[in-house]
Amino acid sequence: MAFSTFFTIAALIVLAESCSDSGSNCANWVKNGFCKSAYYTYAQKYSYCASSCGYCSSTTTSSSSTSCSNSASACSSWAANGFCTSTFYTTAQKAAYCASSCGLCSSTTTASSSTCSDSVTTCSAWNNNGFCASSFYTTAIKTQYCQKTCSLCSESDTTAASDTDTTTA
């Protein structure tokens, strides 16, 4: 399953430069649920109706300092299947398709709060298994999921957290 997902993602990235509909009936297929159907693979959908299914990204799709988003609609699925941590894809490819999901946005565009915390409850176990010390995961990925556990808080986050901890002194 994971191999086919990686192959599909690789095929989509390689073919992105020539993204278009090859099927003449894509408008009707889309109306009938072709793009959302689990019966067809991403490769099939991309092969026949890439543009109509929304798999094409514009040529200017890169993360900028003002906004950070995903250009591919399947990023959450890709990320769950290892796209963001795979060494098969370059950081540029990850940023072009799934910058937000892969945690590749600059810290100024992704910081939405001034407190340092973990976004998943399993960070302690992950840390015990080597997540925080591993060079396999990027700092952006570690920060996205286990910022506090991996001691990746910025000075302002630490100050804000200590201010709230000492209010009962």
Side-chain angles (χ1 to χ4, degrees), residues 24-113:
S24 60
N25 207 8
C26 287
N28 288 332
W29 291 357
V30 170
K31 288 178 190 175
N32 290 320
F34 174 74
C35 300
K36 295 181 181 180
S37 172
Y39 181 77
Y40 301 100
T41 66
Y42 279 113
Q44 290 170 317
K45 295 171 191 175
Y46 190 94
S47 176
Y48 293 107
C49 300
S51 181
S52 294
C53 287
Y55 296 138
C56 300
S57 62
S58 67
T59 56
T60 59
T61 308
S62 62
S63 62
S64 68
S65 61
T66 58
S67 69
C68 183
S69 61
N70 297 326
S71 65
S73 60
C75 283
S76 60
S77 173
W78 292 358
N81 285 306
F83 173 73
C84 299
T85 56
S86 172
T87 57
F88 182 79
Y89 307 102
T90 66
T91 303
Q93 289 171 320
K94 295 171 189 176
Y97 293 96
C98 301
S100 180
S101 291
C102 290
L104 298 173
C105 304
S106 69
S107 60
T108 57
T109 60
T110 57
S112 59
S113 70

